[in-house]
Amino acid sequence: MFLSWGFFLLINSIICLLISLYIIYFNKFFIIEYMLYSLMNIEIKLYFLVDWISILFLFVVLFVSSMVIIYSDKYMEGDPNKNYFCVMVLLFVLSMVLLILCPNILMIILGWDGLGLVSYCLVIYYQSKDSYNSGMITVMSNRVGDVAILLSLVFLMNFGCYDMLMYNSINIICGIMIIIAGMTKSAQIPFSSWLPAAMAAPTPVSSLVHSSTLVTAGIYLLIRFSFLFKISLFSEMLFFFSSLTLFMAGVGANLEMDFKKIIAFSTLSQLGLIMMILSLGKMEFAFFHLLMHALFKSMLFLCAGLIIHNMGGVQDLRYLGNFFCYSPMVCGCMGLASMSLFGFPFMGGFYSKDLLLEYVYMSVDNMMYMLLLIVSIGLTVMYCMRMLYYVVWKGIMMSMYYSVDMNKMMTIPIYLLSIVVIMLGNILSWLMFSYEELIVLSNFSKMLNLFLIVFVIKIFYLVYINKMKGYSMGSVYKFLSSMWFMSFLTSYIFMCFYKKMSAVSEYDWMWVEEFGPSSLFKGMSSGSMISQWFQNNYLNSILLIIVSLIMMFLFII
């Protein structure tokens, strides 16, 4: 089942690639429209748009999905719910395809809510209490964006048309709602805590979620509404939150010890970078980096899944190490993905990230933002090198050697992705851009990214290779490593519920109980107590005390 669906998606991705080349070369687009219902000025219709943005993104989504499904055939071997997992992944891909091909706000809700629902089912796949809590945080955080989409739908009803291409300007409140929806789905501050929590899902799902599907839905929505960033209010708001997200994720990744969560923080960091360039109005640059990030991030997750799978499920960096002796090819692919992540010259991510950063250097004149960006880029290089140090080179496992099963169904998708990552960056940089506007920089600004990479690698050598002793930061370390307490703040209500539910019995911790009969009983009890309080004539006494205090205050004045 996995292999047949994987090859089916792979063939369709190749077809989408050929169609995208045709559309880009002849500068065409196609619209399929079918009216379902019309009432006064409101039109409800099936609306599909095939242009260079949607078809290129569809190619990347289908290609990554095909590699993940083929990889999952061996990874999920022995799981009794293997077929259920395959069906859920296919539904996840279908929801993303609907979101991509339907630039109609009414139809986007189908794919938008489908992504939220299926992602919840996949996060709770292992059916433990931790995965259940993570799933609830994920789905409840995304409901904020769903409500914002519904509110924007109500505002757009005034125009009588839900097609995104028909708008050049919209109401400010509606624009804020759309930006909030994009920020929740792409996990920008203050909605960032659900992204590391989604790591409770199986690793192939994490590869799909963090590369080309769930987290990219918000960015894709804002790309379609890119005219919003001509207004300075929207541009400055998104730039501020995205730069904070970029910095916070870089710090968190350097202090994290969970292998998968480090990659999750790197996704958060790159999403902040994409949102930053999108807030400056460069939709093409943001889309280019979005495509390249989807490819090398999915490859990084598949490499991580292979390492965790062969190390007995261990995810703590302190118990990994020396995997290069077991599989040099997989470690080489992991190094390739990591170098693409921090923009090493002539890797796949270099062509998009370097272009993006050079435009930011040219456009932004705020020194605080520039300093924050430069520090964040250095942190990206540092956590990539730190991850390679613990997993590939050194570690507690360095003196132990045993046979590792490298199944072809798990390694071939990684090799195919590595070839695409190496080749596609250069090809897309020529296909997508005409370079009508020049990026004019000084020699120092042009070489700044390369200087940063060399400088941070030198710092890494001093800190990790030479074991330079650092100072304990105490509470500051706790603050920085916990996403600035965002996980606690955004999930405090759910934590209270779970503590109450887990105290009842081992199996009676369903959230339905808390929101259903238990909530009804507590509400009725509180209501009866309030009614009894009024019946005992306490109100007159309190009013008399309040009037006395007011008179005393006036007398003193």
Side-chain angles (χ1 to χ4, degrees), residues 217-256:
I219 293 174
Y220 186 75
L221 179 71
L222 294 181
I223 285 174
R224 290 299 188 184
F225 280 100
S226 57
F227 63 86
L228 289 172
F229 303 111
K230 296 177 183 177
I231 303 172
S232 60
L233 171 66
F234 298 147
S235 178
E236 292 173 2
M237 181 180 75
L238 188 63
F239 192 91
F240 173 74
F241 285 114
S242 61
S243 58
L244 278 183
T245 307
L246 176 61
F247 176 71
M248 181 267 295
V251 173
N254 278 282
L255 300 176
E256 183 61 54

Side-chain angles (χ1 to χ4, degrees), residues 324-445:
F324 185 82
C325 296
Y326 309 139
S327 179
M329 287 292 291
V330 171
C331 290
C333 292
M334 185 176 172
L336 172 65
S338 300
M339 288 191 290
S340 294
L341 182 60
F342 63 75
F344 193 82
F346 310 114
M347 297 292 110
F350 165 77
Y351 295 97
S352 58
K353 190 171 183 178
D354 196 64
L355 183 67
L356 187 152
L357 291 174
E358 285 179 359
Y359 185 81
V360 175
Y361 295 155
M362 186 182 72
S363 303
V364 178
D365 53 1
N366 188 313
M367 281 304 296
M368 287 302 297
Y369 281 138
M370 289 301 298
L371 182 62
L372 202 63
L373 177 64
I374 290 171
V375 171
S376 302
I377 296 167
L379 290 172
T380 303
V381 182
M382 180 63 79
Y383 68 68
C384 288
M385 297 301 294
R386 174 175 175 265
M387 183 172 60
L388 292 175
Y389 170 79
Y390 275 110
V391 176
V392 178
W393 301 322
K394 298 291 183 181
I396 199 170
M397 302 290 290
M398 63 179 298
S399 61
M400 298 176 63
Y401 297 92
Y402 53 87
S403 60
V404 177
D405 180 23
M406 293 294 173
N407 190 276
K408 291 183 179 179
M409 287 298 121
M410 296 179 73
T411 55
I412 288 176
I414 296 174
Y415 300 154
L416 289 177
L417 280 168
S418 64
I419 294 171
V420 173
V421 165
I422 292 172
M423 296 177 59
L424 202 63
N426 191 12
I427 294 171
L428 287 181
S429 65
W430 287 102
L431 285 176
M432 290 175 59
F433 305 115
S434 57
Y435 295 104
E436 294 175 354
E437 56 181 85
L438 295 175
I439 297 177
V440 181
L441 292 172
S442 64
N443 290 333
F444 176 75
S445 300

Side-chain angles (χ1 to χ4, degrees), residues 277-341:
I277 194 67
L278 190 58
S279 67
L280 296 176
K282 296 306 291 182
M283 178 265 293
E284 296 87 356
F285 291 176
F287 183 66
F288 183 28
H289 192 57
L290 185 68
L291 296 181
M292 296 310 303
H293 171 260
L295 291 168
F296 63 71
K297 185 52 63 65
S298 61
M299 183 171 72
L300 190 58
F301 259 111
L302 294 184
C303 292
L306 185 63
I307 292 170
I308 293 169
H309 184 72
N310 284 288
M311 288 294 184
V314 177
Q315 293 182 206
D316 196 316
L317 287 180
R318 290 164 291 192
Y319 294 99
L320 298 174
N322 208 37
F323 198 79
F324 185 82
C325 296
Y326 309 139
S327 179
M329 287 292 291
V330 171
C331 290
C333 292
M334 185 176 172
L336 172 65
S338 300
M339 288 191 290
S340 294
L341 182 60

